[in-house]
Amino acid sequence: MTVTPDLDRRFREAAATLGLVDIGFDIVESPIGELLVAASDQGVASIWFDPDPADDLDRLARIGGPRVLRSPRNVEHARRQLDEYFAKKRRSFDLQLDLRAMPPFTLEVLGELARVPYGETTTYGALAQRVGHPHAARAVGTVMNRNRIPIVLPCHRVVGASGNLTGYAGGLDRKETLLELEGAR
Amino acid sequence: MMEAVTIPPFERFYDEHRTEVLRLLRRRLDVDRADDAFQETFLRALRAYGRLEHGEHLRAWVLTIAQNVALDMLRRARPTEELVEAASTDSPPAYTELADLTDGLGPKERAAVVLRYGYDLSYDQIASVLGSSPDAARQATSTGVRRIRRRITS
């Protein structure tokens, strides 16, 4: 005896409707592969490349609490906006973000990052300068690397001073694809 | 002291136990009501999940919730029938340790006593299992204890 997809869906929808989910997630298909998108009642909490349920569930619980549930309803807005972005019908995201427990420096850097316009690039050093720590390019790089809401917080628009792509937590191929999509390269 | 067992993310807990919960409910109820009870069971579990203090005995816990949801549904359908028998045919693990002591109690009081003293759950959590208020859970527990005490000392 197995739980039918219909019964399973009814439970997940009821859980989301009743607001009993700390973090709801779902897999979103995209031109750069499957994305695991998760949201709490505060907003989008993470977008991860190469979903790996065994590991991701624990990571989500550490962000928002143990009531982690696959729940399409929780990520509806994010899914729609990501679809539009990848279809080149959207240039900026209008989403609440869950940035809980992030240190002040990280928040400042991500705040500046969010202002880098669609289709443009900046450098780690320039971003460091903008948060008032001109010598902190490396620390800015670390923040980019650990950015748990990529694409929406566009760390792919940050490149090395020489114009090299430098690095991307999701892999350089993806960074290149995103920049091409935006017409930045 | 041993380190408390970590509470798994709900998705993993649900995935691990849903088949067994559905199987239990299908033995008690017809298909439609078993489906309703399935949803209710995991919603009750989800309500209490954030307040759990450790991840031990989760299987026993969710099967006890299912047991009680099924009882509630049967009671609603056939309010006058004796349901104690139905409650004990599965001998769920939640009852085993305190089985002798709690044998004579009604299903609600029994569940309340076992969850309180066997598993150290709070009245909030017990309330979620029984589908009642924390006050009613406290009441059921103390009534159960009183009955046991009376039996032991008489």
Side-chain angles (χ1 to χ4, degrees):
Chain A
M1 180 185 317
T2 51
V3 176
T4 61
D6 183 53
L7 179 56
D8 181 62
R9 195 182 56 240
R10 273 168 57 199
F11 163 62
R12 292 176 192 278
E13 279 187 5
T17 308
L18 293 169
L20 297 176
V21 179
D22 294 328
I23 294 246
F25 71 93
D26 201 11
I27 305 297
V28 172
E29 304 287 338
S30 89
I32 52 172
E34 289 187 336
L35 306 171
L36 185 143
V37 180
S40 70
D41 57 356
Q42 298 187 23
V44 177
S46 66
I47 295 176
W48 288 330
F49 302 109
D50 306 316
D52 167 22
D55 190 35
D56 294 342
L57 292 177
D58 294 301
R59 290 168 72 197
L60 291 174
R62 282 196 292 275
I63 294 173
R67 300 190 301 176
V68 176
L69 192 68
R70 184 163 182 165
S71 165
R73 181 181 291 244
N74 289 66
V75 302
E76 235 173 81
H77 294 297
R79 179 200 298 278
R80 187 173 337 110
Q81 295 195 19
L82 284 165
D83 286 349
E84 290 165 358
Y85 169 81
F86 284 115
K88 296 193 193 183
K89 289 175 184 154
R90 171 176 289 278
R91 296 164 71 91
S92 68
F93 292 94
D94 179 19
L95 294 167
Q96 301 286 322
L97 302 182
D98 181 346
L99 303 171
R100 242 181 298 184
M102 291 191 184
F105 179 74
T106 301
L107 289 173
E108 269 179 68
V109 173
L110 293 179
E112 281 304 325
L113 173 67
R115 280 192 264 277
V116 181
Y118 183 94
E120 290 178 25
T121 58
T122 187
T123 66
Y124 298 95
L127 215 49
Q129 199 131 27
R130 261 187 269 168
V131 294
H133 298 280
H135 302 297
R138 190 177 291 269
V140 166
T142 304
V143 173
M144 296 303 108
N145 188 255
R146 292 184 186 157
N147 175 15
R148 67 177 194 224
I149 319 177
I151 306 172
V152 171
L153 290 172
C155 54
H156 58 279
R157 294 177 197 151
V158 186
V159 299
S162 60
N164 289 339
L165 290 183
T166 308
Y168 194 59
L172 285 179
D173 285 359
R174 289 192 173 112
K175 189 170 189 172
E176 198 155 12
T177 307
L178 290 173
L179 289 174
E180 272 166 17
L181 173 99
E182 295 185 5
R185 289 185 84 79
Chain B
M1 223 180 101
M2 276 178 41
E3 211 172 299
V5 178
T6 339
I7 299 158
F10 192 88
E11 180 73 31
R12 191 175 296 145
F13 159 81
Y14 170 69
D15 190 51
E16 230 162 80
H17 301 298
R18 59 182 166 181
T19 310
E20 199 176 355
V21 163
L22 187 62
R23 204 179 295 139
L24 180 151
L25 294 168
R26 287 271 173 89
R27 279 200 298 270
R28 299 267 184 288
L29 306 163
D30 62 57
V31 173
D32 280 350
R33 279 197 295 175
D35 281 4
D36 289 345
F38 175 86
Q39 177 170 322
E40 177 61 21
T41 297
F42 280 105
L43 289 177
R44 281 192 198 178
L46 195 51
R47 264 191 202 99
Y49 208 72
R51 297 190 301 266
L52 290 180
E53 275 148 29
H54 55 70
E56 283 170 62
H57 311 302
L58 290 181
R59 174 174 171 273
W61 177 61
V62 74
L63 291 177
T64 312
I65 298 178
Q67 194 87 258
N68 278 279
V69 170
L71 272 178
D72 285 351
M73 289 198 155
L74 288 170
R75 202 174 284 131
R76 234 173 290 147
R78 303 173 296 176
T80 52
E81 254 173 74
E82 179 54 62
L83 294 164
V84 178
E85 204 51 44
S88 55
T89 45
D90 247 352
S91 62
Y95 291 170
T96 49
E97 277 185 35
L98 295 168
D100 290 345
L101 273 177
T102 57
D103 237 358
L105 303 181
K108 284 235 149 142
E109 289 161 10
R110 188 178 191 183
V113 170
V114 170
L115 293 173
R116 182 72 192 102
Y117 297 103
Y119 296 139
D120 211 21
L121 295 194
S122 67
Y123 291 115
D124 263 2
Q125 293 166 341
I126 298 169
S128 72
V129 171
L130 300 179
S132 67
S133 68
D135 277 348
R138 188 187 302 270
Q139 183 89 45
T141 311
S142 70
T143 308
V145 169
R146 225 171 18 248
R147 289 225 173 111
I148 293 170
R149 198 172 288 145
R150 213 175 300 141
R151 206 178 57 219
I152 298 174
T153 53
S154 65

